[in-house]
Amino acid sequence: VSGFGAGIDLGVIGRPTEEFSLGMMVKEILTTDIKWQNGVVTRYEMLVNIGAAYRPLKELTVAADVHNILRQNNSPNTFHAGVEVRPLMGVAFRAGLYDNSKTVGASLAAWKAIVDYTYLGGEFGRTQTIGLTGKF
């Protein structure tokens, strides 16, 4: 089944100091309806998310965000937090919480490629992902 729809997202990141970043993202500003070929309509309502990151050391980043801060559509907001450690050039390890679900991951960068591995526990049912990104 195919469908069509379009949406608008808008995000902004501010960096008041070299170590501290703040961000806000408004998703589906005008509300998006995907109209499927079979007549079904999927609606994506507007959501406002905020987040912050602190980098006390070049090798360490601590971040947190709250999704749906205005509790739009009678939906609860969700909280996410994580830490990333970069012990060597091109190597990163991550751990985080997505509400009550634990996540871990690692990245290895070499030349113009990055390989990412992620393990998502809890509500994600022990999902594992591997990604390859190329920088051109």
Side-chain angles (χ1 to χ4, degrees):
V1 175
S2 64
F4 179 80
I8 298 173
D9 300 342
L10 178 64
V12 62
I13 296 176
R15 188 180 242 174
T17 69
E18 191 64 32
E19 299 83 20
F20 190 66
S21 300
L22 293 169
M24 182 172 78
M25 174 89 165
V26 182
K27 298 174 72 174
E28 307 304 338
I29 292 173
L30 302 175
T31 302
T32 300
D33 289 333
I34 305 295
K35 294 180 179 130
W36 299 99
Q37 193 176 37
N38 63 3
V40 173
V41 175
T42 303
R43 173 161 277 191
Y44 293 93
E45 302 280 349
M46 184 177 80
L47 293 175
V48 179
N49 307 330
I50 61 170
Y54 179 60
R55 197 168 93 174
L57 305 169
K58 182 180 172 187
E59 302 82 12
L60 176 68
T61 303
V62 179
D65 64 42
V66 179
H67 288 199
N68 196 20
I69 63 168
L70 302 178
R71 296 183 183 218
Q72 291 116 317
N73 315 311
N74 297 317
S75 298
N77 49 30
T78 59
F79 177 75
H80 317 102
V83 63
E84 179 182 79
V85 177
R86 296 170 300 282
L88 303 168
M89 176 78 88
V91 177
F93 298 103
R94 296 176 201 87
L97 286 175
Y98 184 100
D99 289 331
N100 294 317
S101 298
K102 296 175 184 166
T103 64
V104 295
S107 293
L108 180 60
W111 300 282
K112 293 188 177 221
I114 302 171
V115 177
D116 287 302
Y117 168 79
T118 307
Y119 174 87
L120 307 167
E123 72 178 73
F124 300 106
R126 296 182 279 190
T127 300
Q128 298 181 60
T129 64
I130 295 176
L132 175 63
T133 303
K135 291 183 176 183
F136 299 101

